[in-house]
Amino acid sequence: MAQILVTGGLGFIGSHTVVELIQAGHEPIIVDNLSNSTASVLDGIEKISGKRPTFERVDLKVKAEVRDFFSRYTTLEGIIHFAAFKAVGESVQKPLEYYENNLGSLVYILQEMRDLQIDKLIFSSSCTVYGEADELPITENSPVKAAISPYGNTKQIGEEVIKDAIEAHGFNSISLRYFNPIGAHPSAEIGESPLGVPLNLVPYVTQTAAGVREQLAVFGDDYETRDGTNERDYIHVVDVAKAHVVALDRLLKGQNQGNYEVFNLGTGKGSTVLEVIQSFEKVSNSKLNYKIVERRHGDVTAAYADTTKANQVLGWKSEKTLDDAMVDAWRWEKKIRKIN
Ligand code: UD1
C-alpha cells in the first residue's frame, strides 16, 4: 500500500482513478480546488469503494497553499497530477489563466518533489500533443506538433518541464497521453459533470437525450473519413483509470525503463461522430436529435492510438467497448437527471 497524492482527484478521470487506487489497496489523498467539481464526488467514491478518501481543498496555483499541504503530508510515495483546465476554446480566450493554472501548479509540485525527495510522478498528458498526425494509428514516436491551442501547449510544455526536472533532480515520471476518455463508472455513483454547456461530444449527446439540450450539432461531415465526420479514439474512463494504477505500480516497483516514459492511452480503434451517435441510439433504444453544422475550428480529421507500447511495455489494455461506455454514460446521465 502506498500513500499517493491525487491532484484533481474529484474530477472526471481523477475520481475514477481514486476508486481504482483504493481497490488496488493504495491510499489516495485528494487535493482539488473545486473549480470544476464538487465535494459530493466523495460520496460516490465512498459508495463504490467503501472508503472515504482524505480530501483537502487546495489551490495548486498558489505556492503557499502547495507548501502548506506538503508540510503536513510527509509520507507521500508518489503523485498523480490531474488538476488542470482542459477546455480548448476557453484556453484561446484565456491563455494566461491556462498557463498559470496548468504550468504553475506543475512547477510548484515539482519543487516540492525536489525538496522532499518524492520521486514518482504520473502526468496527465493528451493526444493533442500530436496535432494532425501524419500517420495513423498514432505511436508514441509520432512527432509532437506545434500546439493549436494554449491548452495543448500547456500539455506539451508540461512534458518538457518534467523532462528538464528529471535531468536535474532524477525523478521518475510517466506521461499518459489520453485519447478521448468517456463514459462513467458502471455503478453510476461517479461520472462526468461538466459545468454549463458541455464542450465534449458524449456529455452533449447524453444531455440532448435527457432533454437538457435541444439538439446536438455535429461539427462537419466533409472530412476525409468513412462518413465525413471526425474520427476519434473513445476510451472508457475506467480503462483510463486502471492504466494509472498500472503506471504507478510500475514506478513503485522500479520497473520503468529510464526516468521518463510516455504511453498512449486509447483503444486503438477510431470511431466517427456518427458512429458514436449510432452506438448511443442502439444502447439507449432511442433516436437522437442532431444536425450537421459547420466544422469546429481546430478539430483534426482523425486521431486514434497505436496501443502496442501500452499493451506490451506497460502491460495494460483497454477492456471496454464504445457501447459499454455509452451504456455507462447514459446510466449516469439518467441518474443525475432523475430519469427512469
Ligand atoms: C480534444 C483533444 C483532446 C483534449 C480535448 C479536451 C484532439 C485530437 N483531441 O478532444 O486531446 O484533451 O480536446 O477537451 O485534439 N463534436 C461534435 N459536436 C459537439 C461536440 C463535439 O460534433 O457538440 C465532435 C468534435 O468535432 C470531434 C468529436 O466530436 O470530432 C470529439 O470532440 P470532443 O469531445 O470535444 O473531443 P476532441 O476535440 O476530440
Side-chain angles (χ1 to χ4, degrees), residues 317-328:
K317 200 174 189 323
S318 69
E319 289 165 2
K320 293 172 183 278
T321 64
L322 176 62
D323 286 354
D324 294 335
M326 299 311 282
V327 167
D328 292 335

Side-chain angles (χ1 to χ4, degrees), residues 172-323:
N172 294 288
S173 181
I174 295 178
S175 286
L176 299 175
R177 292 177 176 163
Y178 314 148
F179 281 66
N180 289 58
I182 59 163
H185 197 273
S187 64
E189 296 294 351
I190 54 174
E192 192 170 8
S193 301
L195 293 177
V197 181
L199 302 169
N200 296 111
L201 176 63
V202 172
Y204 210 107
V205 166
T206 55
Q207 287 195 13
T208 303
V212 181
R213 309 282 153 208
E214 174 84 26
Q215 186 177 51
L216 170 74
V218 173
F219 298 133
D221 69 349
D222 56 351
Y223 288 95
E224 278 183 44
T225 60
R226 53 189 168 273
D227 60 25
T229 63
N230 287 153
E231 193 174 0
R232 294 285 184 275
D233 189 338
Y234 296 93
I235 176 166
H236 198 296
V237 64
V238 171
D239 280 331
V240 173
K242 286 182 172 161
H244 288 76
V245 179
V246 175
L248 175 74
D249 285 341
R250 180 174 176 84
L251 294 184
L252 290 171
K253 290 179 189 152
Q255 293 169 332
N256 44 312
Q257 299 165 1
N259 291 139
Y260 184 67
E261 294 181 306
V262 170
F263 295 100
N264 286 343
L265 295 188
T267 66
K269 186 177 178 301
S271 303
T272 67
V273 177
L274 293 180
E275 287 164 353
V276 170
I277 293 170
Q278 281 155 16
S279 168
F280 178 78
E281 289 183 331
K282 182 175 80 179
V283 305
S284 65
N285 196 23
S286 66
K287 280 278 162 215
L288 191 76
N289 183 15
Y290 70 90
K291 74 163 182 229
I292 310 289
V293 303
E294 289 295 295
R295 290 182 176 199
R296 180 172 72 178
H297 177 71
D299 277 338
V300 300
T301 301
Y304 50 92
D306 185 320
T307 62
T308 311
K309 188 178 177 201
N311 299 163
Q312 294 181 357
V313 180
L314 190 58
W316 162 90
K317 200 174 189 323
S318 69
E319 289 165 2
K320 293 172 183 278
T321 64
L322 176 62
D323 286 354

